[in-house]
Amino acid sequence: QVQLVESGGGLVQPGGSLRLSCAASGSIFSIAVMGWYRQAPGKQRELVATITGGDTTNYADSVKGRFTISRDNGKNTVYLQMNSLKPEDTAVYYCNARIGTDSVRYVSYWGQGTQVTVSS
């Protein structure tokens, strides 16, 4: 059984910063791509950023230059540093990881989501 547990969400004023964390635990052989997605009320879930095992990153245009994704492979953890936050960044943020429990089979797992609210 594999679990992703997120932390770090909350309420922040515009221009502020937050750091999200997502730790994977359980029967893990290897973790391929890890990433963050978000879903605002009434909108579809959208990609925020992803990072491969080789630390290649990809960002949504709306967050480039403001958000930074990183990972600690020793801790099976992915982070999202969010700076210069805007009200339009308000959403539930979800962690995603493609995890192999053996050398052949990889499955996509999701965290439970953490609320980020940007408001004065």
Side-chain angles (χ1 to χ4, degrees):
Q1 191 76 357
V2 173
Q3 278 190 318
L4 299 181
V5 178
E6 298 139 341
S7 60
L11 173 64
V12 64
Q13 291 187 341
S17 298
L18 281 175
R19 189 191 194 210
L20 305 183
S21 300
C22 172
S25 64
S27 180
I28 297 171
F29 175 79
S30 176
I31 302 179
V33 178
M34 303 184 83
W36 291 94
Y37 294 72
R38 67 187 181 187
Q39 187 166 17
K43 294 188 177 181
Q44 289 188 333
R45 190 174 297 188
E46 62 177 5
L47 179 146
V48 176
T50 61
I51 184 167
T52 68
D55 289 338
T56 298
T57 58
N58 179 52
Y59 294 94
D61 288 342
S62 59
V63 307
K64 282 181 181 176
R66 301 188 297 122
F67 291 10
T68 301
I69 189 170
S70 61
R71 64 191 279 175
D72 184 331
N73 293 325
K75 295 181 179 180
N76 290 334
T77 298
V78 62
Y79 306 96
L80 186 68
Q81 178 66 43
M82 304 184 293
N83 299 328
S84 302
L85 282 160
K86 305 175 181 180
E88 50 263 45
D89 294 317
T90 296
V92 178
Y93 283 69
Y94 295 92
C95 172
N96 176 267
R98 191 158 180 83
I99 296 174
T101 54
D102 56 41
S103 61
V104 177
R105 185 168 179 262
Y106 281 75
V107 176
S108 181
Y109 291 90
W110 291 91
Q112 80 283 1
T114 185
Q115 177 70 44
V116 171
T117 302
V118 184
S119 175
S120 54

PDB file of all heavy atoms in Angstrom, residues 30-56:
ATOM      1  N   SER A  30      10.505   2.302  -6.597  1.00  0.00           N
ATOM      2  CA  SER A  30      11.082   3.461  -7.265  1.00  0.00           C
ATOM      3  C   SER A  30       9.984   4.475  -7.554  1.00  0.00           C
ATOM      4  O   SER A  30       8.823   4.119  -7.695  1.00  0.00           O
ATOM      5  CB  SER A  30      11.730   3.039  -8.587  1.00  0.00           C
ATOM      6  OG  SER A  30      12.226   4.148  -9.293  1.00  0.00           O
ATOM      7  N   ILE A  31      10.361   5.752  -7.591  1.00  0.00           N
ATOM      8  CA  ILE A  31       9.421   6.805  -7.936  1.00  0.00           C
ATOM      9  C   ILE A  31       9.894   7.493  -9.205  1.00  0.00           C
ATOM     10  O   ILE A  31      11.033   7.967  -9.269  1.00  0.00           O
ATOM     11  CB  ILE A  31       9.264   7.838  -6.808  1.00  0.00           C
ATOM     12  CG1 ILE A  31       8.802   7.164  -5.525  1.00  0.00           C
ATOM     13  CG2 ILE A  31       8.253   8.919  -7.222  1.00  0.00           C
ATOM     14  CD1 ILE A  31       8.648   8.105  -4.345  1.00  0.00           C
ATOM     15  N   ALA A  32       9.053   7.544 -10.203  1.00  0.00           N
ATOM     16  CA  ALA A  32       9.386   8.201 -11.453  1.00  0.00           C
ATOM     17  C   ALA A  32       9.022   9.692 -11.330  1.00  0.00           C
ATOM     18  O   ALA A  32       9.566  10.392 -10.508  1.00  0.00           O
ATOM     19  CB  ALA A  32       8.669   7.538 -12.619  1.00  0.00           C
ATOM     20  N   VAL A  33       8.083  10.148 -12.087  1.00  0.00           N
ATOM     21  CA  VAL A  33       7.711  11.564 -12.059  1.00  0.00           C
ATOM     22  C   VAL A  33       6.888  11.878 -10.811  1.00  0.00           C
ATOM     23  O   VAL A  33       6.024  11.103 -10.419  1.00  0.00           O
ATOM     24  CB  VAL A  33       6.900  11.944 -13.310  1.00  0.00           C
ATOM     25  CG1 VAL A  33       6.472  13.401 -13.264  1.00  0.00           C
ATOM     26  CG2 VAL A  33       7.705  11.669 -14.563  1.00  0.00           C
ATOM     27  N   MET A  34       7.184  13.022 -10.203  1.00  0.00           N
ATOM     28  CA  MET A  34       6.375  13.554  -9.118  1.00  0.00           C
ATOM     29  C   MET A  34       5.892  14.938  -9.551  1.00  0.00           C
ATOM     30  O   MET A  34       6.569  15.629 -10.319  1.00  0.00           O
ATOM     31  CB  MET A  34       7.171  13.664  -7.822  1.00  0.00           C
ATOM     32  CG  MET A  34       7.770  12.345  -7.367  1.00  0.00           C
ATOM     33  SD  MET A  34       8.604  12.463  -5.776  1.00  0.00           S
ATOM     34  CE  MET A  34       7.212  12.303  -4.648  1.00  0.00           C
ATOM     35  N   GLY A  35       4.738  15.323  -9.036  1.00  0.00           N
ATOM     36  CA  GLY A  35       4.228  16.615  -9.469  1.00  0.00           C
ATOM     37  C   GLY A  35       3.148  17.175  -8.583  1.00  0.00           C
ATOM     38  O   GLY A  35       2.679  16.520  -7.645  1.00  0.00           O
ATOM     39  N   TRP A  36       2.783  18.402  -8.897  1.00  0.00           N
ATOM     40  CA  TRP A  36       1.710  19.102  -8.209  1.00  0.00           C
ATOM     41  C   TRP A  36       0.670  19.551  -9.216  1.00  0.00           C
ATOM     42  O   TRP A  36       1.021  20.045 -10.302  1.00  0.00           O
ATOM     43  CB  TRP A  36       2.257  20.318  -7.455  1.00  0.00           C
ATOM     44  CG  TRP A  36       3.118  19.963  -6.289  1.00  0.00           C
ATOM     45  CD1 TRP A  36       4.470  19.843  -6.281  1.00  0.00           C
ATOM     46  CD2 TRP A  36       2.677  19.684  -4.960  1.00  0.00           C
ATOM     47  NE1 TRP A  36       4.915  19.496  -5.028  1.00  0.00           N
ATOM     48  CE2 TRP A  36       3.817  19.383  -4.195  1.00  0.00           C
ATOM     49  CE3 TRP A  36       1.431  19.646  -4.346  1.00  0.00           C
ATOM     50  CZ2 TRP A  36       3.750  19.069  -2.844  1.00  0.00           C
ATOM     51  CZ3 TRP A  36       1.361  19.334  -2.999  1.00  0.00           C
ATOM     52  CH2 TRP A  36       2.519  19.053  -2.268  1.00  0.00           C
ATOM     53  N   TYR A  37      -0.573  19.386  -8.836  1.00  0.00           N
ATOM     54  CA  TYR A  37      -1.710  19.841  -9.616  1.00  0.00           C
ATOM     55  C   TYR A  37      -2.591  20.679  -8.689  1.00  0.00           C
ATOM     56  O   TYR A  37      -2.465  20.604  -7.468  1.00  0.00           O
ATOM     57  CB  TYR A  37      -2.501  18.652 -10.162  1.00  0.00           C
ATOM     58  CG  TYR A  37      -1.739  17.835 -11.181  1.00  0.00           C
ATOM     59  CD1 TYR A  37      -0.674  17.012 -10.794  1.00  0.00           C
ATOM     60  CD2 TYR A  37      -2.066  17.893 -12.533  1.00  0.00           C
ATOM     61  CE1 TYR A  37       0.037  16.277 -11.728  1.00  0.00           C
ATOM     62  CE2 TYR A  37      -1.364  17.156 -13.477  1.00  0.00           C
ATOM     63  CZ  TYR A  37      -0.325  16.358 -13.063  1.00  0.00           C
ATOM     64  OH  TYR A  37       0.370  15.631 -13.986  1.00  0.00           O
ATOM     65  N   ARG A  38      -3.489  21.453  -9.276  1.00  0.00           N
ATOM     66  CA  ARG A  38      -4.396  22.237  -8.452  1.00  0.00           C
ATOM     67  C   ARG A  38      -5.766  22.305  -9.091  1.00  0.00           C
ATOM     68  O   ARG A  38      -5.912  22.176 -10.303  1.00  0.00           O
ATOM     69  CB  ARG A  38      -3.855  23.647  -8.207  1.00  0.00           C
ATOM     70  CG  ARG A  38      -3.784  24.528  -9.444  1.00  0.00           C
ATOM     71  CD  ARG A  38      -3.082  25.845  -9.116  1.00  0.00           C
ATOM     72  NE  ARG A  38      -3.003  26.731 -10.260  1.00  0.00           N
ATOM     73  CZ  ARG A  38      -2.334  27.877 -10.280  1.00  0.00           C
ATOM     74  NH1 ARG A  38      -1.664  28.281  -9.194  1.00  0.00           N
ATOM     75  NH2 ARG A  38      -2.329  28.635 -11.374  1.00  0.00           N
ATOM     76  N   GLN A  39      -6.760  22.509  -8.234  1.00  0.00           N
ATOM     77  CA  GLN A  39      -8.127  22.626  -8.713  1.00  0.00           C
ATOM     78  C   GLN A  39      -8.827  23.738  -7.955  1.00  0.00           C
ATOM     79  O   GLN A  39      -8.998  23.659  -6.728  1.00  0.00           O
ATOM     80  CB  GLN A  39      -8.888  21.310  -8.538  1.00  0.00           C
ATOM     81  CG  GLN A  39     -10.259  21.315  -9.180  1.00  0.00           C
ATOM     82  CD  GLN A  39     -10.858  19.931  -9.286  1.00  0.00           C
ATOM     83  OE1 GLN A  39     -10.421  18.991  -8.618  1.00  0.00           O
ATOM     84  NE2 GLN A  39     -11.844  19.769 -10.146  1.00  0.00           N
ATOM     85  N   ALA A  40      -9.205  24.766  -8.681  1.00  0.00           N
ATOM     86  CA  ALA A  40      -9.959  25.868  -8.105  1.00  0.00           C
ATOM     87  C   ALA A  40     -11.449  25.572  -8.209  1.00  0.00           C
ATOM     88  O   ALA A  40     -11.862  24.769  -9.053  1.00  0.00           O
ATOM     89  CB  ALA A  40      -9.613  27.162  -8.837  1.00  0.00           C
ATOM     90  N   PRO A  41     -12.264  26.207  -7.371  1.00  0.00           N
ATOM     91  CA  PRO A  41     -13.712  25.949  -7.414  1.00  0.00           C
ATOM     92  C   PRO A  41     -14.283  26.198  -8.807  1.00  0.00           C
ATOM     93  O   PRO A  41     -14.025  27.238  -9.420  1.00  0.00           O
ATOM     94  CB  PRO A  41     -14.274  26.950  -6.404  1.00  0.00           C
ATOM     95  CG  PRO A  41     -13.162  27.190  -5.458  1.00  0.00           C
ATOM     96  CD  PRO A  41     -11.914  27.128  -6.275  1.00  0.00           C
ATOM     97  N   GLY A  42     -15.040  25.223  -9.302  1.00  0.00           N
ATOM     98  CA  GLY A  42     -15.679  25.361 -10.596  1.00  0.00           C
ATOM     99  C   GLY A  42     -14.766  25.163 -11.790  1.00  0.00           C
ATOM    100  O   GLY A  42     -15.194  25.359 -12.929  1.00  0.00           O
ATOM    101  N   LYS A  43     -13.521  24.791 -11.530  1.00  0.00           N
ATOM    102  CA  LYS A  43     -12.572  24.601 -12.627  1.00  0.00           C
ATOM    103  C   LYS A  43     -12.028  23.185 -12.627  1.00  0.00           C
ATOM    104  O   LYS A  43     -12.112  22.465 -11.631  1.00  0.00           O
ATOM    105  CB  LYS A  43     -11.421  25.603 -12.512  1.00  0.00           C
ATOM    106  CG  LYS A  43     -11.844  27.050 -12.699  1.00  0.00           C
ATOM    107  CD  LYS A  43     -10.638  27.959 -12.757  1.00  0.00           C
ATOM    108  CE  LYS A  43     -11.043  29.394 -13.020  1.00  0.00           C
ATOM    109  NZ  LYS A  43      -9.862  30.297 -13.104  1.00  0.00           N
ATOM    110  N   GLN A  44     -11.445  22.810 -13.754  1.00  0.00           N
ATOM    111  CA  GLN A  44     -10.840  21.492 -13.856  1.00  0.00           C
ATOM    112  C   GLN A  44      -9.470  21.484 -13.166  1.00  0.00           C
ATOM    113  O   GLN A  44      -8.817  22.528 -13.023  1.00  0.00           O
ATOM    114  CB  GLN A  44     -10.673  21.104 -15.331  1.00  0.00           C
ATOM    115  CG  GLN A  44     -11.974  20.787 -16.035  1.00  0.00           C
ATOM    116  CD  GLN A  44     -11.750  20.215 -17.420  1.00  0.00           C
ATOM    117  OE1 GLN A  44     -10.734  20.489 -18.066  1.00  0.00           O
ATOM    118  NE2 GLN A  44     -12.682  19.414 -17.899  1.00  0.00           N
ATOM    119  N   ARG A  45      -9.060  20.291 -12.763  1.00  0.00           N
ATOM    120  CA  ARG A  45      -7.730  20.144 -12.177  1.00  0.00           C
ATOM    121  C   ARG A  45      -6.689  20.436 -13.267  1.00  0.00           C
ATOM    122  O   ARG A  45      -6.813  19.973 -14.398  1.00  0.00           O
ATOM    123  CB  ARG A  45      -7.543  18.739 -11.623  1.00  0.00           C
ATOM    124  CG  ARG A  45      -6.292  18.547 -10.793  1.00  0.00           C
ATOM    125  CD  ARG A  45      -6.253  17.174 -10.151  1.00  0.00           C
ATOM    126  NE  ARG A  45      -7.361  16.979  -9.221  1.00  0.00           N
ATOM    127  CZ  ARG A  45      -7.472  15.918  -8.407  1.00  0.00           C
ATOM    128  NH1 ARG A  45      -6.529  14.991  -8.410  1.00  0.00           N
ATOM    129  NH2 ARG A  45      -8.508  15.807  -7.606  1.00  0.00           N
ATOM    130  N   GLU A  46      -5.660  21.195 -12.893  1.00  0.00           N
ATOM    131  CA  GLU A  46      -4.647  21.564 -13.857  1.00  0.00           C
ATOM    132  C   GLU A  46      -3.249  21.287 -13.312  1.00  0.00           C
ATOM    133  O   GLU A  46      -3.018  21.314 -12.097  1.00  0.00           O
ATOM    134  CB  GLU A  46      -4.750  23.049 -14.222  1.00  0.00           C
ATOM    135  CG  GLU A  46      -4.525  24.011 -13.066  1.00  0.00           C
ATOM    136  CD  GLU A  46      -4.554  25.458 -13.492  1.00  0.00           C
ATOM    137  OE1 GLU A  46      -4.831  25.771 -14.656  1.00  0.00           O
ATOM    138  OE2 GLU A  46      -4.289  26.323 -12.617  1.00  0.00           O
ATOM    139  N   LEU A  47      -2.327  21.059 -14.230  1.00  0.00           N
ATOM    140  CA  LEU A  47      -0.947  20.820 -13.850  1.00  0.00           C
ATOM    141  C   LEU A  47      -0.314  22.114 -13.363  1.00  0.00           C
ATOM    142  O   LEU A  47      -0.514  23.169 -13.973  1.00  0.00           O
ATOM    143  CB  LEU A  47      -0.167  20.258 -15.038  1.00  0.00           C
ATOM    144  CG  LEU A  47       1.315  19.955 -14.829  1.00  0.00           C
ATOM    145  CD1 LEU A  47       1.717  18.736 -15.663  1.00  0.00           C
ATOM    146  CD2 LEU A  47       2.187  21.134 -15.216  1.00  0.00           C
ATOM    147  N   VAL A  48       0.458  22.005 -12.286  1.00  0.00           N
ATOM    148  CA  VAL A  48       1.235  23.148 -11.794  1.00  0.00           C
ATOM    149  C   VAL A  48       2.706  22.948 -12.145  1.00  0.00           C
ATOM    150  O   VAL A  48       3.324  23.806 -12.766  1.00  0.00           O
ATOM    151  CB  VAL A  48       1.068  23.316 -10.273  1.00  0.00           C
ATOM    152  CG1 VAL A  48       1.968  24.444  -9.764  1.00  0.00           C
ATOM    153  CG2 VAL A  48      -0.389  23.571  -9.911  1.00  0.00           C
ATOM    154  N   ALA A  49       3.256  21.804 -11.748  1.00  0.00           N
ATOM    155  CA  ALA A  49       4.678  21.536 -12.001  1.00  0.00           C
ATOM    156  C   ALA A  49       4.953  20.053 -11.833  1.00  0.00           C
ATOM    157  O   ALA A  49       4.277  19.385 -11.047  1.00  0.00           O
ATOM    158  CB  ALA A  49       5.561  22.342 -11.055  1.00  0.00           C
ATOM    159  N   THR A  50       5.937  19.566 -12.577  1.00  0.00           N
ATOM    160  CA  THR A  50       6.377  18.187 -12.425  1.00  0.00           C
ATOM    161  C   THR A  50       7.902  18.131 -12.385  1.00  0.00           C
ATOM    162  O   THR A  50       8.586  19.058 -12.854  1.00  0.00           O
ATOM    163  CB  THR A  50       5.887  17.287 -13.579  1.00  0.00           C
ATOM    164  OG1 THR A  50       6.422  17.780 -14.814  1.00  0.00           O
ATOM    165  CG2 THR A  50       4.374  17.234 -13.642  1.00  0.00           C
ATOM    166  N   ILE A  51       8.409  17.033 -11.829  1.00  0.00           N
ATOM    167  CA  ILE A  51       9.860  16.834 -11.751  1.00  0.00           C
ATOM    168  C   ILE A  51      10.139  15.345 -11.920  1.00  0.00           C
ATOM    169  O   ILE A  51       9.495  14.500 -11.295  1.00  0.00           O
ATOM    170  CB  ILE A  51      10.423  17.377 -10.423  1.00  0.00           C
ATOM    171  CG1 ILE A  51      11.949  17.252 -10.400  1.00  0.00           C
ATOM    172  CG2 ILE A  51       9.774  16.724  -9.218  1.00  0.00           C
ATOM    173  CD1 ILE A  51      12.603  18.042  -9.265  1.00  0.00           C
ATOM    174  N   THR A  52      11.101  15.029 -12.786  1.00  0.00           N
ATOM    175  CA  THR A  52      11.455  13.642 -13.019  1.00  0.00           C
ATOM    176  C   THR A  52      12.495  13.180 -11.998  1.00  0.00           C
ATOM    177  O   THR A  52      13.022  13.976 -11.218  1.00  0.00           O
ATOM    178  CB  THR A  52      12.033  13.460 -14.426  1.00  0.00           C
ATOM    179  OG1 THR A  52      13.309  14.126 -14.480  1.00  0.00           O
ATOM    180  CG2 THR A  52      11.104  14.031 -15.490  1.00  0.00           C
ATOM    181  N   GLY A  53      12.812  11.897 -12.069  1.00  0.00           N
ATOM    182  CA  GLY A  53      13.841  11.376 -11.189  1.00  0.00           C
ATOM    183  C   GLY A  53      15.206  11.985 -11.454  1.00  0.00           C
ATOM    184  O   GLY A  53      16.056  12.017 -10.565  1.00  0.00           O
ATOM    185  N   GLY A  54      15.398  12.472 -12.657  1.00  0.00           N
ATOM    186  CA  GLY A  54      16.642  13.139 -13.018  1.00  0.00           C
ATOM    187  C   GLY A  54      16.593  14.636 -12.821  1.00  0.00           C
ATOM    188  O   GLY A  54      17.464  15.359 -13.313  1.00  0.00           O
ATOM    189  N   ASP A  55      15.543  15.106 -12.122  1.00  0.00           N
ATOM    190  CA  ASP A  55      15.378  16.520 -11.776  1.00  0.00           C
ATOM    191  C   ASP A  55      15.065  17.422 -12.965  1.00  0.00           C
ATOM    192  O   ASP A  55      15.292  18.630 -12.904  1.00  0.00           O
ATOM    193  CB  ASP A  55      16.597  17.077 -11.024  1.00  0.00           C
ATOM    194  CG  ASP A  55      16.702  16.533  -9.606  1.00  0.00           C
ATOM    195  OD1 ASP A  55      15.668  16.081  -9.078  1.00  0.00           O
ATOM    196  OD2 ASP A  55      17.811  16.550  -9.045  1.00  0.00           O
ATOM    197  N   THR A  56      14.524  16.860 -14.026  1.00  0.00           N
ATOM    198  CA  THR A  56      14.009  17.700 -15.105  1.00  0.00           C
ATOM    199  C   THR A  56      12.646  18.235 -14.687  1.00  0.00           C
ATOM    200  O   THR A  56      11.779  17.466 -14.274  1.00  0.00           O
ATOM    201  CB  THR A  56      13.871  16.897 -16.406  1.00  0.00           C
ATOM    202  OG1 THR A  56      15.162  16.435 -16.808  1.00  0.00           O
ATOM    203  CG2 THR A  56      13.268  17.745 -17.513  1.00  0.00           C
TER     204      THR A  56
END
